[in-house]
Amino acid sequence: MNKTRTRTTTKTYELRLYVAGHTAKSLAALANLKRICETHLAGQYRIEVIDLTKTPELAVGDQILALPTLVRRLPEPIKKIIGDLSNEERVLVGLDVQPV
Amino acid sequence: MNKQTSPRATLGLPKAPTGITGLDEITGGGLPAGRPTLVCGSAGCGKTMLAMEFLVRGAAEFGEPGVFMMFEENAAELTANVRSLGFDLDRLVKEKKIALDHVHIERSEIEETGEYDLEGLFIRLGHAIDSIGAKRVVLDTVEALFAGLPNHAILRAELRRLFRWLKNRGMTAIITGEKGEGNAITRYGLEEYVADCVITLDHRVTEQISTRRLRVLKYRGSVHGTNEYPFLIGERGFSVLPITSLRLDHAAPAGRLATGIARLDEMLGGQGVFRGSSVLVSGAPGTGKSSIGAKFAEAACRRGERALLFAYEESSAQILRNMRSIGMDLAPWVKKGLLQIYASRPTLSGLEQHLLAMHDMVKAFRPTVVVVDPISNLTIERSDAEVMPTLMRLIDFLKQQQITSLFTSLTTGGSGTNAAEDSQVGVSSLMDTWLLLRNVEFNGERNRLIYVLKSRGMANSNQVREFVLSDAGIDLVDVYLGADRVLTGTARVAQAAHERSAAKLRREDHERKLRQLAARRKAIEAQIAALNAQGEAEAAEVKFAIAQESLQETTTQQNSAAMAQLRGGSKGGNAPKRGSR
């Protein structure tokens, strides 16, 4: 796949971050995600944070098991990254995003 | 000790009944309540079925809703799979008695970066539990996570936390696991975390016949049966056949039951066998075992009772035809619904499977008499050690239902040897009455003999009888005991004829002797008469001689007088002179 073209074409990354309350891991994951997106996907992303302690029924839909889990809902296909997203390189690979 | 209804009756450890036949008996009331139990075994050994039945029965019978969390099958597949066992999962889910959750994890979709935990699994499980107020949880098979998640260190820590969490929430849980290589109980060593109760399932194929076995490997804080128990997955779900449930406490009715063969009843103390007892009829091929069995069933039908005939050699049509040849028409009883013939191939399934089928049919039909023809076919591939407990279970089951049972058994022993008895020793100890049929070859014929080898609790005949099958039915005939052998068949008939003619000859001889005696008596009488006559004649002669002599004397006197007169001459003669002398 031509990563450059993917990047240049304007498409939105619809991302969903599943967390469980305000744990250290949750906070770290959200901070890491925001930083990576701002760096590499500025203006092309939307982040939705779902706290499963408040809405546990949502866990089934995306087959959430590990937390935190980042789900790339768009563009398809769906991709999942588990962990606190501390490794930027792997997050980019997981999201299929060419680093800037 | 029946703990099924009172799980908390056991000292100390509360138990959650599974409702699975036999399992509650082995575990003394069920699985440890509020704790996880590990069920492990190789693929296809019935782990999911056991877990599912535990959950369904809990929800339907014990008022304990349950969550089934599956990691391999999805909900639709599982629902379809268990429907074959008569569990309607859809209904239970709608009624909020069971919650299903399919946890699916695709390694290829997942990228791992940094720290994580399995809180999502806890949240899902917790949510499912809360939504229906579950008391029971099944995780089937949680080990699938090892394939989906690369970081096994995290996974192990999380599983440990999960089992503790389940315990803290008071969930009675079943966690299934694949059997590991070699001696490992599970592939990923789950037994380290679930230490309260471990049950292993096994699926073995011996001589092409499969047997499933269950064993309670460990049950912390409770006594349990430690043996391997055969179990079955049948139309009514999972059933374990524990030998320990053999409590020897069945009632012993004193009522008697006619066997349908009057002379046989006579041999058995005149009234036949006890109700609820077991009868073994053993014998070499062609000795008439099946006929006795069929007669036994027919007699029950005649009394208006129900009889169930398990045939492992002949089809039911064949039995009907063959029995007609000895004057026994079973078809009307079948039509009336009093007789049920269940014919199947003994090799169709293992002994346990047959046993389960028998259980089910007996429970459904509720007969008073059960005939199994023959048990030797069921036991054909098995050693005695294996067959005994299974038959014991069957006999015990029948006795507890107070069903009178008759088993026929084929023996290899020919005529006259003791092999017939020897080969049945294992089974015969379970039987109350044992009839032995034997072929006797003599005088160019084979004839059938019947003995009562034993009959518990009644006076029984020690006599050998000849067993005669004819188009008029079954009959027992006294045998002739000759010099030092029994006579049967035509030899018996010949002997009878011989004895008849001998008797006739003797009778004639007597008559002849009587006649001779009479003749002799007559002759003697005649002699006596002759002697009498002679005597009379002699007497008459003597009389005559005397008379003659006296006459002579008179005549002589007269002559001399006359002469004297004549001598005395002219004057008055000499006579007065003489006379005056």
Side-chain angles (χ1 to χ4, degrees):
Chain A
M1 210 177 194
N2 192 328
K3 299 284 162 33
T4 322
R5 233 184 58 204
T6 313
R7 229 206 114 243
T8 45
T9 48
T10 50
K11 59 175 166 190
T12 24
Y13 278 79
E14 203 177 305
L15 305 174
R16 202 178 262 183
L17 182 67
Y18 287 91
V19 293
H22 299 282
T23 62
K25 280 197 278 275
S26 312
L27 295 173
L30 186 56
N32 286 335
L33 181 62
K34 277 184 174 157
R35 180 171 46 74
I36 294 165
C37 286
E38 273 309 312
T39 318
H40 304 281
L41 290 169
Q44 314 174 44
Y45 70 96
R46 200 161 64 229
I47 296 173
E48 185 186 0
V49 178
I50 293 176
D51 186 352
L52 287 182
T53 54
K54 289 179 187 138
T55 51
E57 64 278 5
L58 294 181
V60 179
D62 271 325
Q63 280 292 354
I64 301 308
L65 212 58
L67 287 180
T69 297
L70 175 65
V71 179
R72 186 189 84 174
R73 295 181 59 84
L74 279 177
E76 295 208 332
I78 287 180
K79 292 213 165 248
K80 284 180 193 162
I81 304 165
I82 58 176
D84 60 9
L85 312 176
S86 52
N87 186 330
E88 187 175 318
E89 202 180 316
R90 297 197 68 163
V91 175
L92 292 176
V93 171
L95 287 177
D96 209 356
V97 171
Q98 193 69 31
V100 178
Chain B
M1 41 169 210
N2 188 3
K3 298 276 161 47
Q4 248 167 299
T5 44
S6 55
R8 269 146 228 277
T10 333
L11 281 176
L13 200 68
K15 299 195 177 182
T18 60
I20 294 171
T21 324
L23 184 57
D24 289 341
E25 281 164 304
I26 299 173
T27 53
L31 302 180
R35 297 176 187 212
T37 295
L38 180 65
V39 174
C40 48
S42 51
C45 68
K47 300 184 293 287
T48 305
M49 285 302 164
L50 174 69
M52 196 67 217
E53 189 161 345
F54 161 74
L55 215 60
V56 169
R57 296 212 182 272
E61 291 169 24
F62 304 108
E64 296 195 348
V67 175
F68 197 99
M69 190 168 246
M70 63 211 104
F71 296 82
E72 284 170 336
E73 295 173 297
N74 66 34
E77 282 164 359
L78 184 77
T79 308
N81 290 351
V82 299
R83 193 174 293 131
S84 63
L85 300 182
F87 300 146
D88 189 354
L89 276 189
D90 287 333
R91 190 173 54 82
L92 288 166
V93 169
K94 262 188 215 113
E95 289 172 2
K96 292 215 159 239
K97 285 181 174 162
I98 279 190
L100 302 174
D101 189 2
H102 176 218
V103 176
H104 176 73
I105 187 158
E106 190 66 59
R107 179 73 177 265
S108 60
E109 284 179 4
I110 286 182
E111 196 64 42
E112 204 183 32
T113 158
E115 291 274 298
Y116 64 92
D117 54 36
L118 294 185
E119 189 61 30
L121 185 67
F122 287 75
I123 288 171
R124 277 169 81 163
L125 194 51
H127 176 64
I129 289 168
D130 293 339
S131 67
I132 58 166
K135 294 267 183 286
R136 299 181 176 202
V137 168
V138 169
L139 302 177
D140 181 49
T141 305
V142 81
E143 281 177 302
L145 292 179
F146 283 94
L149 293 171
N151 193 334
H152 287 188
I154 290 181
L155 186 51
R156 282 178 186 282
E158 286 299 278
L159 284 180
R160 191 186 293 271
R161 186 162 73 95
L162 178 66
F163 299 147
R164 179 136 302 280
W165 178 82
L166 283 171
K167 229 177 188 173
N168 290 342
R169 294 209 54 164
M171 291 294 134
T172 309
I174 286 187
I175 290 128
T176 66
E178 285 278 318
K179 189 188 179 305
E181 311 239 324
N183 286 329
I185 298 170
T186 58
R187 193 175 291 168
Y188 294 97
L190 286 184
E191 63 274 15
E192 284 176 41
Y193 315 127
V194 188
D196 289 294
C197 181
V198 178
I199 295 173
T200 57
L201 304 180
D202 184 12
H203 193 186
R204 244 175 269 172
V205 178
T206 323
E207 306 267 344
Q208 298 156 36
I209 303 260
S210 81
T211 321
R212 299 168 189 271
R213 277 160 213 278
L214 175 146
R215 182 171 171 227
V216 181
L217 202 69
K218 166 175 184 180
Y219 197 143
R220 192 174 276 174
S222 169
V223 289
H224 60 88
T226 51
N227 296 343
E228 280 193 324
Y229 303 96
F231 75 91
L232 301 157
I233 299 174
E235 282 162 34
R236 283 155 214 227
F238 207 92
S239 21
V240 185
L241 307 164
I243 196 164
T244 43
S245 79
L246 277 192
R247 304 178 298 264
L248 266 175
D249 59 355
H250 39 72
R256 293 289 193 91
L257 196 73
T259 57
I261 304 166
R263 292 289 308 266
L264 181 57
D265 294 341
E266 215 171 273
M267 290 174 82
L268 298 166
Q271 297 169 69
V273 297
F274 282 113
R275 257 181 206 283
S277 68
S278 50
V279 182
L280 175 70
V281 180
S282 68
T287 43
K289 300 178 297 293
S290 300
S291 306
I292 289 186
K295 192 73 195 169
F296 195 60
E298 195 222 12
C301 295
R302 278 188 193 281
R303 288 190 298 268
E305 297 168 5
R306 278 194 294 272
L308 186 54
L309 178 63
F310 292 99
Y312 295 107
E313 265 175 352
E314 301 171 290
S315 73
S316 59
Q318 201 181 349
I319 291 173
L320 295 182
R321 184 200 68 194
N322 293 353
M323 289 307 134
R324 217 170 280 138
S325 76
I326 56 164
M328 197 195 308
D329 197 0
L330 296 174
W333 305 118
V334 174
K335 245 179 235 138
K336 268 192 183 170
L338 286 175
L339 177 65
Q340 211 172 69
I341 301 177
Y342 173 79
S344 80
R345 286 247 164 257
T347 47
L348 183 71
S349 45
L351 191 55
E352 287 76 19
Q353 204 79 34
H354 280 297
L355 185 61
L356 185 81
M358 286 180 179
H359 270 239
D360 285 354
M361 298 208 52
V362 167
K363 272 185 186 153
F365 191 58
R366 309 212 61 76
T368 51
V369 166
V370 166
V371 177
V372 181
D373 181 32
I375 42 165
S376 42
N377 260 23
L378 288 178
T379 62
I380 220 152
E381 291 93 356
R382 306 299 201 79
S383 65
D384 253 11
E386 268 184 290
V387 169
M388 267 270 282
T390 311
L391 281 180
M392 207 187 285
R393 282 178 203 122
L394 176 64
I395 291 165
D396 198 70
F397 166 72
L398 293 174
K399 280 191 175 177
Q400 255 160 9
Q401 316 272 320
Q402 306 211 345
I403 295 170
T404 317
S405 51
L406 186 145
F407 303 86
T408 69
S409 176
L410 180 71
T411 52
T412 46
S415 53
T417 61
N418 277 330
E421 281 120 276
D422 294 341
S423 63
Q424 294 297 312
V425 168
V427 177
S428 67
S429 67
L430 305 172
M431 302 289 178
D432 297 321
T433 300
W434 184 6
L435 305 176
L436 182 65
L437 289 165
R438 181 178 278 179
N439 278 322
V440 174
E441 194 179 333
F442 170 68
N443 198 20
E445 306 178 321
R446 276 170 91 88
N447 291 298
R448 304 176 177 99
L449 289 184
I450 185 166
Y451 314 61
V452 179
L453 233 69
K454 73 166 181 187
S455 196
R456 286 175 183 153
M458 63 176 79
N460 57 281
S461 167
N462 62 350
Q463 295 296 302
V464 175
R465 294 274 185 275
E466 187 178 352
F467 178 71
V468 182
L469 290 173
S470 67
D471 51 9
I474 303 174
D475 201 8
L476 302 187
V477 185
D478 291 345
V479 294
Y480 273 90
L481 295 164
D484 55 355
R485 58 162 187 261
V486 290
L487 295 178
T488 55
T490 53
R492 170 174 52 78
V493 174
Q495 178 72 18
H498 179 72
E499 285 193 7
R500 262 200 308 279
S501 67
K504 197 177 170 194
L505 275 179
R506 266 200 307 280
R507 248 193 333 274
E508 278 172 7
D509 190 42
H510 290 163
E511 276 164 21
R512 192 168 53 89
K513 278 183 183 154
L514 281 174
R515 272 199 307 276
Q516 274 176 348
L517 179 66
R520 244 198 336 266
R521 186 175 286 156
K522 258 184 202 160
I524 290 167
E525 274 167 8
Q527 254 174 336
I528 291 169
L531 287 173
N532 276 345
Q534 204 182 347
E536 273 163 28
E538 271 170 24
E541 217 139 298
V542 168
K543 244 185 221 167
F544 177 70
I546 292 167
Q548 209 174 20
E549 258 174 57
S550 66
L551 188 65
Q552 236 169 359
E553 198 180 337
T554 323
T555 316
T556 313
Q557 272 177 354
Q558 280 170 349
N559 282 352
S560 54
M563 267 201 292
Q565 241 179 349
L566 285 172
R567 277 188 203 177
S570 49
K571 305 181 229 171
N574 289 336
K577 267 183 166 172
R578 236 191 120 144
S580 57
R581 267 193 299 191

